[in-house]
């Protein structure tokens, strides 16, 4: 593929789009899709995602990035080129409940997730058979809060060994240490089984049931050290009523969790998400 | 109209439906619609709403209710007969923003709310002209937290004078005292401009914006003394994205508030809601 | 399990609920859930679904059904008792695209579909491996319009051999003959990949794309001899926009198809659907 | 306001964005928002909408447009500059049912529709009082198919007299002649009370009820000479069930019609819609 994506954020000012598109045009790039957003045209932050095609992109990557340095400096940009032919590698962490893992594996099998699923790490053996049947390595690392450091040490080694780009917590019911989170900043995607910020923390379906809500939700977000407070990528909900007890809500919610997480991962793979402060821009 | 509704809750046990339907059958009632629910068939609470028609219902009301007393005692029921020909009287409280008031007036004008809107009470003059043009009395009672008692005294007098059945807070931005709430227990319906229990309290759209949520919501609930903690009647949401600032979220949210409140009021008028503990059964 | 469901439809008249609930009460049945509907209290058709528990139900089935005969005659009812301990047997027909089959297998594995999946029949070998890995027999029967009769003969034999209760067409892209449809009247559930009655027939996503719709849908319905005209069980939609071509719509739509079909099958298993004319009552 | 929007479509080729943004940059324009889409980067059609601010825009309009001519020619563009300070003028056509008219008037009153509502034309007197109370001229022109030409002649005169930019058919239940449609090509927005292409033509709620659908919808589209076949701008749906008869569906549907039409009109006012063939690009 000769396709790439350029993600930029910088202080807003006139001339950014002109400079960037001029640069791409001079390099024979054809812009396929472009999205931009500014928090405020006067003194705000500017964001743009440009997807483009360029003949012989593979050989020209170094030149392209080198040539872009001066624009980057001029506008004080954070800018990254992402190349579609560099398939991203992901690790999936899972505990006992397999529904989110299965959804990802399934979409991956049917060609909807353009990624390498490098490995699955779990504190249970539950999903080993199915994962291995797809030719994906499965690592069982028992975990609890007393051995958190040792567990994470093993996880980090595996992730480095497999050269993983990002981690998906597909209902991994363990809290991560600040060290782990820092090591993979903005590279850990979690699915929380509530409509955040409602029901932060444990047992959201039980609490939703006790509160008597009429809708339940799920939230996919990047993990930070503040529990369930990281930048939200996607949310969705489903309707419930008085007949649904906590168990029924959980069943209904699992379907929402699956689709919300799958969308977030897909956007991650398509380089559609820019994290800014505690929010996401999803182009 | 010869139509009535019977609302019951009592400890669940075999024979309730048989006894009640036998009773209605003996009184020549034809059951039009019936909904029931039990928290647990063994030792739980049982709820039923029966809508029925009975010839010459008007003359038979007293006999009917008297006759039902023995069943009521036998099963330790809370039971109420509601007659469709007794049009309910509602008071609407509103502050400056008129969108929820307008929605209710509009649905009322087009015949979708079978109620008398007896009066509108506001701490602003904003909506006087339109309300009075519909022939509805409008009372301006300035309010703030220092004069809460006096204000509520006037409100209570008006509500008694108009013999109001229930009160709708259509974005009335004043906190009510425990005394007021107690006086109209389970008879005050509020609309809160968030997806409760997220963003309890003031300025939910600003906080939703700051949190970076991808959906915003509205919640209609009965008012209790715990702020925004009363039994939820209905909730709904609308999608937002990074381009929507707090002001845009507010505009989008107003549309959700309107429809959520209108549905809650409609169900109240149709006697579809049973409050049980801190939850609602909506039949 | 001592649980059963009673499904009734008959001409509406006073006294039905009383007679039925009296009968159940006399047989020591405790009504767990009950839903009813009437097309018109005066001269319309009445529908009721009652779920109940009864001690020693297993031994009493014959007595129960015999005893109910007189009520059945009195009110000219169509009435069926369904027993929860009699697990339903289903056959799944599938062509090449496996997403609907996978969804059903998955929900079945996770205990959400209380059924025996007796066999899978396909005109392709695509899904054999996965189906057989779950211990479910897989029959490959090549099909095209010239050999329709022979194909259906084999299918009917298999279905009789396995004593199947109902058939799910999980994207089985072959038209069935009137003979086949008649043999399994109201016992074949199909998923159509459009929001019926829009885009009846072939290639709905291509046609949706060409029409420029902003929502795409899926419809689950019982199969009749009028193509895509059978009683609708469930429908749902998903939003699309100008960027989505027919291929993208297909991907988005598959997710809708999966959940719509899964819901329809679940309701079928819970005996929640009554077919009346060309419509369904879903309790 | 110094704000404008530039809408372009042309054959896709490399360099378009560079040329346009370079041009705007040289004219000291700051791009606020930009959206683009291409049916196919190789030989497809390219679309872009750019919203920008430029100091002293008012005096520079002529220069700006003249200067853009060479780019327009080079890329064979259809291109239009739209200026935010030129408030658009709209005419609303309505028959008896006022809900869509009321929604538009209401959003206009609350400042959500940046437009002049120049006049309302109706074949009924129903809404005169309310419309005139807002200071908007109301013209009663009785209509039926025998006098279609004379009626349209009067309507065209009024529209020209008021210099109207576009027409909204807010449930105007009369068919327009090809002559009328041609006169206001892509400038007449209709709301159809079904999820098109389902239930084209008359009485969609009755037909939806008879078909037993589980969702009903509404569609806003530009009017062409093929009944209900024009480019779709927006669609939405609401859930119904077996209890909802045609009348109930109509009530539920009116709420969908209101919001779908209001969104379409808002996008029209913000110059977000480009018509291409029989489809719309909505940026």
């Amino acid at each position: 593929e000769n396709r790439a994506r350029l993600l930029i954020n910088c202080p807003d000012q006139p001339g950014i789009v002109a400079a960037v598109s001029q640069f791409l045009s001079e390099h024979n790039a054809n812009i396929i899709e472009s999205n931009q957003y500014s928090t405020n045209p006067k003194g705000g932050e500017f964001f743009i995602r440009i997807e483009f095609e360029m003949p012989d992109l593979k050989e020209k990557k170094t030149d392209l990035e080198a040539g872009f340095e001066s624009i980057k400096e001029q506008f004080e940009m954070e800018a990254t080129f992402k190349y579609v032919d560099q398939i991203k590698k992901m690790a999936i962490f899972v505990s006992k409940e397999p529904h989110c893992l299965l959804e990802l594996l399934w979409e991956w099998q049917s060609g909807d997730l353009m990624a390498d699923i490098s490995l699955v790490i779990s504190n249970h053996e539950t999903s080993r058979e199915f994962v291995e049947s797809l030719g994906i390595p499965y690592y069982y690392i028992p975990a609890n809060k007393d051995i958190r450091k040792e567990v994470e040490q093993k996880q980090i080694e595996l992730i480095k060994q497999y050269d993983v780009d990002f981690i998906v917590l597909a209902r991994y019911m363990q809290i991560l240490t600040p060290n782990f989170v820092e090591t993979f900043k903005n590279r850990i995607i979690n699915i929380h089984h509530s409509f955040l910020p409602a029901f932060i923390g444990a047992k959201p379906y039980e609490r939703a049931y006790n509160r008597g809500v009429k809708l339940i939700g799920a939230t996919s977000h990047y993990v930070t050290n503040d529990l369930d407070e990281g930048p939200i990528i996607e949310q969705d909900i489903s309707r419930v009523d008085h007949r649904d007890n906590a168990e029924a809500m959980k069943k209904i919610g699992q379907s929402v969790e699956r689709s919300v997480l799958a969308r977030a991962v897909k956007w991650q793979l398509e380089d559609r998400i820019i994290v800014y402060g505690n929010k996401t821009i999803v182009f």
Side-chain angles (χ1 to χ4, degrees), chain A residues 47-227:
Chain A
F47 304 86
I48 194 165
R49 175 191 183 275
I50 298 174
E51 186 158 341
F52 61 89
E53 285 186 353
M54 191 185 289
D56 308 314
L57 179 57
K58 215 161 185 172
E59 298 92 84
K60 293 182 180 161
K61 282 177 191 176
T62 323
D63 280 5
L64 189 74
E65 299 199 23
F68 196 68
E69 279 303 312
S70 60
I71 291 177
K72 217 167 143 175
E73 273 168 39
Q74 184 191 343
F75 291 96
E76 299 173 60
M77 290 175 174
E78 291 184 47
T80 329
F81 286 88
K82 303 272 188 177
Y83 302 96
V84 173
D85 66 348
Q86 291 177 355
I87 303 294
K88 289 189 187 58
K89 292 177 191 138
M90 62 193 267
I92 304 178
F93 284 33
V94 68
S95 288
K96 234 185 287 184
E97 294 187 8
H99 56 285
C100 286
L101 171 67
L102 287 177
E103 179 76 27
L104 294 176
L105 292 176
W106 180 354
E107 303 223 354
W108 174 75
Q109 273 187 287
S110 62
D112 292 349
L113 289 187
M114 288 302 293
D116 282 342
I117 301 183
S118 306
L119 74 164
V120 171
I121 294 177
S122 179
N123 54 339
H124 293 273
E125 286 284 16
T126 332
S127 301
R128 176 184 293 278
E129 196 180 7
F130 185 62
V131 169
E132 289 186 343
S133 81
L134 298 172
I136 299 169
Y138 187 91
Y139 291 91
Y140 168 55
I141 306 179
N144 65 58
K145 66 176 163 43
D146 300 328
I147 54 168
R148 201 160 277 163
K149 272 200 175 166
E150 299 87 310
V151 167
E152 290 191 350
Q153 197 44 50
K154 285 185 209 163
Q155 293 170 337
I156 291 174
E157 276 163 29
L158 282 167
I159 288 164
K160 294 204 165 148
Q161 175 190 330
Y162 282 94
D163 194 20
V164 160
D165 290 296
F166 69 103
I167 298 165
V168 178
L169 307 182
R171 299 297 308 274
Y172 180 65
M173 309 306 283
Q174 299 286 321
I175 288 176
L176 304 172
T177 68
N179 172 51
F180 190 95
V181 172
E182 195 51 48
T183 309
F184 305 102
K185 205 187 162 187
N186 291 341
R187 289 163 58 202
I188 311 172
I189 294 177
N190 186 41
I191 179 75
H192 184 74
H193 40 319
S194 86
F195 183 86
L196 290 175
F199 309 122
I200 287 174
K203 298 197 175 298
Y205 292 123
E206 282 79 352
R207 289 151 67 207
Y209 172 68
N210 290 333
R211 180 61 188 92
V213 298
K214 302 297 185 187
L215 303 172
I216 54 167
T219 304
S220 185
H221 63 94
Y222 289 107
V223 174
T224 62
N225 282 317
D226 299 309
L227 185 66

Side-chain angles (χ1 to χ4, degrees), chain A residues 7-11 45-48 76-79 274-276:
Chain A
L7 278 81
I8 297 170
N9 60 306
C10 64
E45 185 80 5
F46 174 88
F47 304 86
I48 194 165
E76 299 173 60
M77 290 175 174
E78 291 184 47
I274 299 178
V275 177
Y276 182 67

